[in-house]
Amino acid sequence: MMQEKMAEGTSTINHMKFLQGMTIFVQCGIEAPFMFLNNWFMRTMGAHRVTSLVFFLYVFRLLGLAVVGAYGPVWATLLVELLNGPCFGLGYTAIVIYSSKLCPPGISTTLQSIVNICYEILGYALAFFFGGLLFSSFGGPGLYLVAGITSAIVFILHLLSLKLLPPPQELAEENQSLGNQQVGEEEKQSPDPVMEELDESRALAGKVEGEQEAVEMNQRNK
């Protein structure tokens, strides 16, 4: 809708369907590589930090569309939509993978279906409803400006929640790491029982040898 408003009165309006098709092509085409790379991001950063990264990228994407909608040519929206790849490709995959890890065995499919309902049905429905109200009131650039500011606030709140209320999984990993570190320090500080036994055996052998030498010396003196 914003592209059509931007193209009114220009020659671009004659190629609007092609531009809209290219927009969908760019969005979908760049998503697939990031879904493939999502495994690396999950192993390197973890699901929660990947989610924070997605919120951070959404700030640039939405504010970029606001700036382009207000000042830039309509074709520039294609460049901004390149950010849809990491935004959707990483965010959606991280949600699905993390939800499958949290659920008990046997209900992974059910939980992922609930996640999809919240994301693709309830989320899109609320976005279309409030987005339509904002578009009618402020236009396309204003809509994306409000959405970008909202994404920035959510990004900050998400970082604070991870700092103040770490997820149970991260707490367990941290406690396990601290426990392993304490065990390693105790092992370094506590003597090795095998070495203690060897030292005692050597001391006893030395004592026996000393007594034998003393007996031999007494016999020679006699």
Side-chain angles (χ1 to χ4, degrees):
M1 182 66 73
M2 187 180 74
Q3 290 176 329
E4 295 178 358
K5 292 288 185 181
M6 293 172 62
E8 287 181 354
T10 66
S11 60
T12 309
I13 195 67
N14 299 324
H15 310 284
M16 182 51 55
K17 294 305 178 183
F18 175 75
L19 177 62
Q20 292 174 343
M22 284 298 297
T23 302
I24 297 176
F25 174 77
V26 170
Q27 289 178 344
C28 298
I30 202 69
E31 288 171 5
F34 280 96
M35 287 184 176
F36 177 77
L37 295 172
N38 181 76
N39 187 35
W40 181 85
F41 281 93
M42 291 287 288
R43 286 188 288 105
T44 305
M45 304 175 61
H48 299 286
R49 290 180 177 83
V50 169
T51 305
S52 297
L53 175 63
V54 169
F55 285 137
F56 181 71
L57 293 176
Y58 261 117
V59 175
F60 285 94
R61 181 189 174 197
L62 296 172
L63 293 181
L65 288 173
V67 173
V68 171
Y71 305 105
V74 63
W75 291 97
T77 55
L78 294 177
L79 298 177
V80 181
E81 287 300 337
L82 291 173
L83 289 174
N84 182 68
C87 287
F88 183 83
L90 294 180
Y92 184 78
T93 313
I95 292 173
V96 172
I97 293 177
Y98 189 65
S99 63
S100 65
K101 290 182 179 180
L102 289 179
C103 67
I107 64 170
S108 175
T109 304
T110 302
L111 183 58
Q112 292 186 33
S113 299
I114 295 174
V115 170
N116 288 329
I117 290 173
C118 295
Y119 185 88
E120 296 185 353
I121 297 178
L122 298 179
Y124 281 130
L126 292 174
F128 284 134
F129 176 75
F130 290 106
L133 294 178
L134 290 173
F135 190 88
S136 300
S137 302
F138 305 108
L143 164 65
Y144 285 112
L145 178 62
V146 173
I149 295 174
T150 304
S151 183
I153 295 173
V154 172
F155 168 69
I156 295 173
L157 292 177
H158 189 261
L159 287 182
L160 290 176
S161 67
L162 293 180
K163 185 68 175 178
L164 301 177
L165 299 172
Q169 183 179 4
E170 292 189 0
L171 283 176
E173 292 177 355
E174 183 178 355
N175 293 333
Q176 183 179 2
S177 177
L178 290 175
N180 294 335
Q181 185 177 0
Q182 291 177 355
V183 170
E185 292 178 354
E186 290 177 357
E187 290 179 351
K188 291 179 181 179
Q189 295 175 357
S190 61
D192 191 352
V194 177
M195 294 301 296
E196 284 186 348
E197 185 177 353
L198 288 175
D199 292 339
E200 291 178 357
S201 301
R202 291 170 182 172
L204 181 60
K207 184 177 180 181
V208 172
E209 289 178 358
E211 291 178 353
Q212 289 179 354
E213 290 178 357
V215 172
E216 291 177 356
M217 290 293 294
N218 292 331
Q219 288 178 357
R220 289 175 185 175
N221 293 332
K222 290 179 181 182

